[in-house]
Amino acid sequence: MTIQVAIVGTGPAGFYAAEALLKSDAECRIDMIDRLPTPFGLVRYGVAPDHQTTKRVTRVYTKILRREEVEFFGNVEVGRDVTLDELRSAYDAVVFATGAAHDCSLGIPGEDKGGVIGSASFVGWYNAHPDMRDLDPDLGCTAAAVIGNGNVAIDIARVLVKTREDMAESDLPPYAADAIARSPLRDVYMFGRRGPIEAKFTNVELREMGHLEDALAVVDPAQLPDDVGDLPEGRDRRLKEKNLATLKGFAAQAGREVARRAHFAFFATPVEILGGDRVEGLRLERTRVVAGRAVGTGEFFEIPCGLVIPAVGYRSIAVEGLPFDEKSATIPNHDGRVEPGIYVVGWIKRGPSGVIGTNRPDGVKVAGHIVSDCRDSGKPAGHRLRSLLAGRGVGPVSFADWEAIDAAEIAAAVPPAPRRKFETVAAMLSVLEAPAAPALAVSGSDPE
Ligand code: NAP
């Protein structure tokens, strides 16, 4: 008895659902569908290019893709190439692990100006996401403002202030490396609407800002409290204590001549983006934190800047045919079950929170639901999917195809960079069309 499962989305949440199904008592076959020819979702396109150790989790995911019960269908978009109803009729269970790829907006005047770029777009650009390849952000400014005090904000600030040498072991695409190196950028501000205690940075990421080759982390010591206050003992308090100690370290360090500075600026909420068609500055209101919330003080200030990157969280988009809660931008569910046969995991289930491993329990829960809800009903699964796609002229990218793309990226890298990512879907697919190089030509010997 085999339960046929389709998982839509191949980021961490999709893989942890597959892992849990493979570990369950039931026999499952799993087709993993992604709209891109490449698996791994945010690990490939969201984790910062200089965080290669984090990206190593793909080795675990690759082992899952190698399992004979699992098949990869890349370059297949649900809603475009195959409908939800078709998946429902082909599989016993469909799991959506489609993440949260869209930016939340700030909701302030001026957000439509040139030079305001949401974090999802900007992170996609420096990670060579094919949708963002042509973003071409204008970095011809001396100051940039990143809004938010989460790990995405700190990733962006770090990538902007690191030197080319700092990034040598990363897979930052050359077009982004060139644009960042050429930029006259001097100051990158990270604005938090609340204070240093409320900032959402994890400590490893914060500490990294103290180890930059030609950039300095700058904090106004007057914004740092003596201690974290009366927070209850526990993990959260320890994190906040560590963050406060790290920030105090930044505030105490001796100034040195550097190319760029990353400023941690707290208690400031943006109220307007200034300029004409393009950003010329940012107007902010000073805040104080009352009962955990940022409250405006009525005192305003402005900074000149040519780039504003709101990094204030992400939103999922609705899946046609499924309910959607606009407020939380999630698919309403009970512990991952939308209805028997339809499930959600990861950010589309619970919103954009947590780190990679936070997705694992979602997968375990949903695997449990699938095993209790679903039976082998003789559904055609991958056979049906393949024939539907063939009828529409869609050629799915298989795991072997992905391995060829992966190998070509690694072969194209200039060491010590680990890979040179393809920047367009067409370039990825061209690897699969290229005839194999003749063995004799490769060896360099005379074909005669
Ligand atoms: P996040 O951690 O939720 O941070 C969002 C930030 O934006 C907060 O500082 C928030 O302030 C601020 N914000 C929200 N709305 C705002 C507004 N209207 N005006 C001003 N500020 C506003 O989100 P994220 O940074 O996008 O990260 C998403 C998830 O991915 C997080 O769980 C994060 O840890 C994870 N991640 C992890 C890593 C890593 O482990 N290295 C890297 C990247 C992302 P308030 O706190 O006041 O709401």
Side-chain angles (χ1 to χ4, degrees):
M1 135 155 178
T2 306
I3 301 174
Q4 302 286 353
V5 183
I7 297 179
V8 184
T10 63
F15 277 104
Y16 291 126
E19 180 188 69
L21 284 164
L22 293 169
K23 283 185 178 163
S24 73
D25 297 337
E27 204 174 284
C28 297
R29 257 211 75 267
I30 304 164
D31 289 338
M32 299 195 68
I33 302 171
D34 204 292
R35 76 181 181 91
L36 290 174
T38 52
F40 311 141
L42 267 194
V43 177
R44 181 176 163 95
Y45 289 120
V47 170
D50 55 340
H51 280 180
Q52 291 295 318
T53 315
T54 309
K55 288 183 193 264
R56 277 194 214 139
V57 71
T58 58
R59 293 177 190 175
V60 177
Y61 305 157
T62 300
K63 280 190 190 156
I64 294 172
L65 285 177
R66 279 190 210 287
R67 293 275 296 253
E68 63 179 28
E69 308 94 312
V70 178
E71 189 165 350
F72 178 60
F73 285 80
N75 208 27
V76 174
E77 186 169 337
V78 174
R80 181 191 66 186
D81 302 321
V82 59
T83 66
L84 171 63
D85 282 345
E86 287 166 341
L87 289 182
R88 271 189 219 265
S89 64
Y91 293 89
D92 298 307
V94 183
V95 181
F96 283 88
T98 42
H102 294 255
D103 286 303
C104 290
S105 69
L106 284 171
I108 60 172
E111 232 176 323
D112 55 346
K113 292 187 194 306
V116 182
I117 303 175
S119 56
S121 305
F122 198 76
V123 169
W125 172 75
Y126 68 55
N127 266 318
H129 191 296
D131 291 354
M132 299 304 159
R133 167 63 184 92
D134 297 324
L135 185 73
D136 197 20
D138 184 351
L139 304 185
C141 51
T142 54
V146 182
I147 314 300
N149 270 180
N151 281 330
V152 171
I154 214 166
D155 276 352
I156 292 169
R158 189 182 68 252
V159 168
L160 282 174
V161 300
K162 271 189 161 185
T163 62
R164 201 188 277 278
E165 292 69 37
D166 272 336
M167 293 300 270
E169 293 180 19
S170 79
D171 59 3
L172 183 70
Y175 65 80
D178 289 345
I180 293 168
R182 271 200 315 265
S183 165
L185 209 52
R186 292 274 309 156
D187 296 287
V188 177
Y189 297 89
M190 273 166 283
F191 286 109
R193 62 180 169 184
R194 297 190 290 159
I197 306 303
E198 292 81 20
K200 290 180 171 160
F201 313 124
T202 43
N203 190 249
V204 176
E205 279 63 28
L206 187 59
R207 280 203 317 262
E208 251 185 294
M209 298 301 276
H211 303 286
L212 302 170
E213 191 60 36
D214 199 11
L216 208 56
V218 179
V219 195
D220 176 358
Q223 293 203 317
L224 303 178
D226 292 338
D227 55 47
V228 298
D230 56 0
L231 288 173
E233 289 299 331
R235 201 161 168 263
D236 192 45
R237 183 185 172 99
R238 287 196 297 278
L239 166 68
K240 299 201 182 290
E241 284 172 342
K242 279 191 202 164
N243 278 358
L244 184 58
T246 306
L247 288 165
K248 283 187 174 174
F250 294 164
Q253 69 195 335
R256 62 186 165 98
E257 225 7 79
V258 284
R260 292 183 183 168
R261 287 172 300 185
H263 304 259
F264 290 86
F266 300 104
F267 305 110
T269 196
V271 292
E272 186 179 353
I273 296 168
L274 308 170
D277 290 344
R278 287 200 54 81
V279 177
E280 288 168 26
L282 184 64
R283 181 170 163 79
L284 301 107
E285 182 176 10
R286 294 208 188 279
T287 62
R288 57 198 171 86
V289 176
V290 179
R293 294 176 64 87
V295 177
T297 60
E299 188 191 337
F300 296 86
F301 66 103
E302 295 178 4
I303 61 143
C305 61
L307 180 66
V308 173
I309 305 177
V312 294
Y314 296 139
R315 282 179 68 81
S316 299
I317 47 164
V319 173
E320 206 184 322
L322 294 182
F324 192 69
D325 176 36
E326 285 294 338
K327 192 159 178 272
S328 63
T330 56
I331 293 179
N333 65 88
H334 297 285
D335 252 349
R337 185 195 276 121
V338 180
E339 61 187 50
I342 301 283
Y343 307 89
V344 282
V345 287
W347 285 3
I348 193 154
K349 172 200 167 191
R350 55 168 216 279
S353 63
V355 293
I356 290 172
T358 314
N359 295 295
R360 192 172 242 138
D362 286 1
V364 172
K365 273 264 156 48
V366 152
H369 294 323
I370 291 174
V371 170
S372 73
D373 291 350
C374 304
R375 298 282 166 271
D376 177 358
S377 52
K379 290 209 174 171
H383 299 292
R384 169 74 57 80
L385 179 58
R386 220 183 308 281
S387 76
L388 284 169
L389 295 174
R392 289 163 193 166
V394 179
V397 167
S398 66
F399 175 57
D401 293 338
W402 154 244
E403 285 192 305
I405 294 169
D406 187 34
E409 286 192 342
I410 293 168
V414 178
R419 69 174 60 238
R420 180 170 176 170
K421 283 179 175 173
F422 288 110
E423 295 157 16
T424 63
V425 168
M428 294 172 196
L429 299 182
S430 71
V431 172
L432 311 176
E433 286 153 16
L440 287 173
V442 169
S443 70
S445 55
D446 185 347
E448 294 301 314

